[in-house]
Amino acid sequence: MASRKGTQHATNIMEALTEAARPLSAYDLLDRLRPTGVAAPLTVYRALDKLMASGRVHRIESLNAFVACRHGEHHHDHADTPPPRAVGFAICDGCGTVEEFSDADLFAHLNGCLAAKGFVPRSSAIEVHGRCAGCVRGGVAETQP
Amino acid sequence: MASRKGTQHATNIMEALTEAARPLSAYDLLDRLRPTGVAAPLTVYRALDKLMASGRVHRIESLNAFVACRHGEHHHDHADTPPPRAVGFAICDGCGTVEEFSDADLFAHLNGCLAAKGFVPRSSAIEVHGRCAGCVRGGVAETQP
DNA sequence: TCAGCTATGATACAATATAACCTTCGTCAA
DNA sequence: TTGACGAAGGTTATATTGTATCATAGCTGA
Ligand SMILES: [Zn+2]
Ligand SMILES: [Zn+2]
Ligand SMILES: [Zn+2]
Ligand SMILES: [Zn+2]
């Protein structure tokens, strides 16, 4: 069956991302999916596109990498109603972990700033690099970009 | 003098970015600097690194491209005091223009969200894609990624 | 059945970014 | 003066990330 493979790829990608618990690049994912028969980058990118459209995966622009959504609130099973992605990421440059957060006030404020210019937002990326609480306490130096 | 070339490259890059009035990729810049003798990507990236360190250029992560700062407030001539880069970008997917904005309340709020987790921020990227006022009025379709 | 549509796969390629190495030039002390 | 030293810049090659293109397979509806 044609569409069965696609959903299987998506499932495998979700598993890899969830297990990694940190951002993985498309090529990291390709390497992990190779044993399941995936050979081409495009296969990974196509599956990621669908997962992002349904809100189960987020792209971290500043890392060119992808994380599984930890949130669950903005998931949609119907692809015709894309999620707003009103969400931000705190990226630790010490240990590489990414924490997803969502703050209604923050996004209301952001939308206010944009509305004042007449700008109509469609998707936003809020990515803060720094050090997580654990790395600050432990004095871990920056090992990630 | 050794450093004269470097500053000349930086000056040329600033001119190209300012004139373009929209984001340019490193390779766009390389093409424009070729007549001045620049032949390698690394030259462009090194000059961009310095310009970003002094706050005169910002990188748009979601486009892998660079814009001249339109702001001026966070410039530093002394490279030992890097700017905070508390700044966001409204990126029009219709006409490709990027508008830089900075809102103290917004960043205070963001810092509050992060402080609640014990996260210590270092640099932030706020990039909103959508349509600028002009494109909304004109009904311009999305031609940019 | 059969033309049209979509999903997938395979190959090649484009675009973005960095590594490794070397030359040059300024600096400064012997 | 001069030679060691280090920072800056150039050259080449390569790594990483992302697409274009075309062929095929399988569904769908007339
Ligand atoms: Zn999420
Ligand atoms: Zn950490
Ligand atoms: Zn600026
Ligand atoms: Zn516009």
PDB file of all heavy atoms in Angstrom, chain B residues 12-26:
ATOM      1  N   ASN B  12      32.515  46.866   2.497  1.00  0.00           N
ATOM      2  CA  ASN B  12      31.822  46.487   1.263  1.00  0.00           C
ATOM      3  C   ASN B  12      30.567  45.677   1.556  1.00  0.00           C
ATOM      4  O   ASN B  12      29.541  45.838   0.895  1.00  0.00           O
ATOM      5  CB  ASN B  12      32.768  45.678   0.367  1.00  0.00           C
ATOM      6  CG  ASN B  12      33.894  46.518  -0.183  1.00  0.00           C
ATOM      7  OD1 ASN B  12      33.775  47.743  -0.294  1.00  0.00           O
ATOM      8  ND2 ASN B  12      35.003  45.882  -0.509  1.00  0.00           N
ATOM      9  N   ILE B  13      30.661  44.801   2.543  1.00  0.00           N
ATOM     10  CA  ILE B  13      29.495  44.000   2.910  1.00  0.00           C
ATOM     11  C   ILE B  13      28.387  44.887   3.458  1.00  0.00           C
ATOM     12  O   ILE B  13      27.213  44.741   3.104  1.00  0.00           O
ATOM     13  CB  ILE B  13      29.898  42.913   3.921  1.00  0.00           C
ATOM     14  CG1 ILE B  13      30.632  41.794   3.179  1.00  0.00           C
ATOM     15  CG2 ILE B  13      28.678  42.360   4.648  1.00  0.00           C
ATOM     16  CD1 ILE B  13      31.077  40.665   4.060  1.00  0.00           C
ATOM     17  N   MET B  14      28.759  45.823   4.303  1.00  0.00           N
ATOM     18  CA  MET B  14      27.749  46.741   4.843  1.00  0.00           C
ATOM     19  C   MET B  14      27.067  47.501   3.714  1.00  0.00           C
ATOM     20  O   MET B  14      25.845  47.667   3.715  1.00  0.00           O
ATOM     21  CB  MET B  14      28.405  47.731   5.814  1.00  0.00           C
ATOM     22  CG  MET B  14      28.698  47.182   7.185  1.00  0.00           C
ATOM     23  SD  MET B  14      27.254  46.435   7.972  1.00  0.00           S
ATOM     24  CE  MET B  14      26.202  47.869   8.203  1.00  0.00           C
ATOM     25  N   GLU B  15      27.851  47.942   2.761  1.00  0.00           N
ATOM     26  CA  GLU B  15      27.258  48.672   1.632  1.00  0.00           C
ATOM     27  C   GLU B  15      26.285  47.793   0.860  1.00  0.00           C
ATOM     28  O   GLU B  15      25.180  48.212   0.522  1.00  0.00           O
ATOM     29  CB  GLU B  15      28.354  49.168   0.684  1.00  0.00           C
ATOM     30  CG  GLU B  15      29.013  50.448   1.180  1.00  0.00           C
ATOM     31  CD  GLU B  15      30.133  50.876   0.235  1.00  0.00           C
ATOM     32  OE1 GLU B  15      30.248  50.298  -0.865  1.00  0.00           O
ATOM     33  OE2 GLU B  15      30.904  51.771   0.622  1.00  0.00           O
ATOM     34  N   ALA B  16      26.710  46.573   0.587  1.00  0.00           N
ATOM     35  CA  ALA B  16      25.851  45.669  -0.185  1.00  0.00           C
ATOM     36  C   ALA B  16      24.549  45.403   0.563  1.00  0.00           C
ATOM     37  O   ALA B  16      23.465  45.439  -0.026  1.00  0.00           O
ATOM     38  CB  ALA B  16      26.584  44.366  -0.475  1.00  0.00           C
ATOM     39  N   LEU B  17      24.654  45.162   1.869  1.00  0.00           N
ATOM     40  CA  LEU B  17      23.452  44.850   2.643  1.00  0.00           C
ATOM     41  C   LEU B  17      22.533  46.062   2.742  1.00  0.00           C
ATOM     42  O   LEU B  17      21.312  45.940   2.649  1.00  0.00           O
ATOM     43  CB  LEU B  17      23.833  44.373   4.046  1.00  0.00           C
ATOM     44  CG  LEU B  17      24.430  42.972   4.133  1.00  0.00           C
ATOM     45  CD1 LEU B  17      24.858  42.672   5.556  1.00  0.00           C
ATOM     46  CD2 LEU B  17      23.422  41.934   3.659  1.00  0.00           C
ATOM     47  N   THR B  18      23.140  47.214   2.952  1.00  0.00           N
ATOM     48  CA  THR B  18      22.329  48.422   3.090  1.00  0.00           C
ATOM     49  C   THR B  18      21.622  48.746   1.781  1.00  0.00           C
ATOM     50  O   THR B  18      20.435  49.103   1.770  1.00  0.00           O
ATOM     51  CB  THR B  18      23.221  49.598   3.515  1.00  0.00           C
ATOM     52  OG1 THR B  18      23.906  49.243   4.709  1.00  0.00           O
ATOM     53  CG2 THR B  18      22.390  50.839   3.748  1.00  0.00           C
ATOM     54  N   GLU B  19      22.336  48.574   0.702  1.00  0.00           N
ATOM     55  CA  GLU B  19      21.754  48.868  -0.606  1.00  0.00           C
ATOM     56  C   GLU B  19      20.634  47.889  -0.954  1.00  0.00           C
ATOM     57  O   GLU B  19      19.620  48.269  -1.532  1.00  0.00           O
ATOM     58  CB  GLU B  19      22.869  48.782  -1.654  1.00  0.00           C
ATOM     59  CG  GLU B  19      22.482  49.285  -3.030  1.00  0.00           C
ATOM     60  CD  GLU B  19      23.656  49.153  -3.985  1.00  0.00           C
ATOM     61  OE1 GLU B  19      24.811  49.105  -3.495  1.00  0.00           O
ATOM     62  OE2 GLU B  19      23.411  49.064  -5.187  1.00  0.00           O
ATOM     63  N   ALA B  20      20.843  46.614  -0.607  1.00  0.00           N
ATOM     64  CA  ALA B  20      19.850  45.593  -0.952  1.00  0.00           C
ATOM     65  C   ALA B  20      18.555  45.807  -0.188  1.00  0.00           C
ATOM     66  O   ALA B  20      17.467  45.531  -0.692  1.00  0.00           O
ATOM     67  CB  ALA B  20      20.394  44.203  -0.674  1.00  0.00           C
ATOM     68  N   ALA B  21      18.664  46.286   1.052  1.00  0.00           N
ATOM     69  CA  ALA B  21      17.470  46.532   1.870  1.00  0.00           C
ATOM     70  C   ALA B  21      16.619  45.286   2.041  1.00  0.00           C
ATOM     71  O   ALA B  21      15.413  45.361   2.187  1.00  0.00           O
ATOM     72  CB  ALA B  21      16.638  47.673   1.296  1.00  0.00           C
ATOM     73  N   ARG B  22      17.268  44.149   1.965  1.00  0.00           N
ATOM     74  CA  ARG B  22      16.582  42.884   2.237  1.00  0.00           C
ATOM     75  C   ARG B  22      17.668  41.870   2.566  1.00  0.00           C
ATOM     76  O   ARG B  22      18.841  42.145   2.348  1.00  0.00           O
ATOM     77  CB  ARG B  22      15.777  42.441   1.042  1.00  0.00           C
ATOM     78  CG  ARG B  22      16.626  42.029  -0.144  1.00  0.00           C
ATOM     79  CD  ARG B  22      15.769  41.389  -1.188  1.00  0.00           C
ATOM     80  NE  ARG B  22      14.662  42.257  -1.546  1.00  0.00           N
ATOM     81  CZ  ARG B  22      13.497  41.829  -1.990  1.00  0.00           C
ATOM     82  NH1 ARG B  22      13.293  40.536  -2.098  1.00  0.00           N
ATOM     83  NH2 ARG B  22      12.558  42.665  -2.319  1.00  0.00           N
ATOM     84  N   PRO B  23      17.274  40.711   3.077  1.00  0.00           N
ATOM     85  CA  PRO B  23      18.319  39.771   3.487  1.00  0.00           C
ATOM     86  C   PRO B  23      19.102  39.238   2.285  1.00  0.00           C
ATOM     87  O   PRO B  23      18.516  38.962   1.238  1.00  0.00           O
ATOM     88  CB  PRO B  23      17.542  38.624   4.153  1.00  0.00           C
ATOM     89  CG  PRO B  23      16.164  39.104   4.357  1.00  0.00           C
ATOM     90  CD  PRO B  23      15.923  40.238   3.415  1.00  0.00           C
ATOM     91  N   LEU B  24      20.382  39.114   2.466  1.00  0.00           N
ATOM     92  CA  LEU B  24      21.253  38.509   1.454  1.00  0.00           C
ATOM     93  C   LEU B  24      21.962  37.324   2.082  1.00  0.00           C
ATOM     94  O   LEU B  24      22.404  37.397   3.231  1.00  0.00           O
ATOM     95  CB  LEU B  24      22.293  39.513   0.963  1.00  0.00           C
ATOM     96  CG  LEU B  24      21.782  40.729   0.198  1.00  0.00           C
ATOM     97  CD1 LEU B  24      22.957  41.622  -0.207  1.00  0.00           C
ATOM     98  CD2 LEU B  24      20.987  40.307  -1.018  1.00  0.00           C
ATOM     99  N   SER B  25      22.085  36.260   1.318  1.00  0.00           N
ATOM    100  CA  SER B  25      22.834  35.106   1.816  1.00  0.00           C
ATOM    101  C   SER B  25      24.327  35.392   1.704  1.00  0.00           C
ATOM    102  O   SER B  25      24.754  36.316   1.005  1.00  0.00           O
ATOM    103  CB  SER B  25      22.486  33.870   1.005  1.00  0.00           C
ATOM    104  OG  SER B  25      23.116  33.923  -0.254  1.00  0.00           O
ATOM    105  N   ALA B  26      25.110  34.580   2.381  1.00  0.00           N
ATOM    106  CA  ALA B  26      26.556  34.755   2.327  1.00  0.00           C
ATOM    107  C   ALA B  26      27.057  34.628   0.891  1.00  0.00           C
ATOM    108  O   ALA B  26      27.991  35.320   0.494  1.00  0.00           O
ATOM    109  CB  ALA B  26      27.248  33.726   3.226  1.00  0.00           C
TER     110      ALA B  26
END
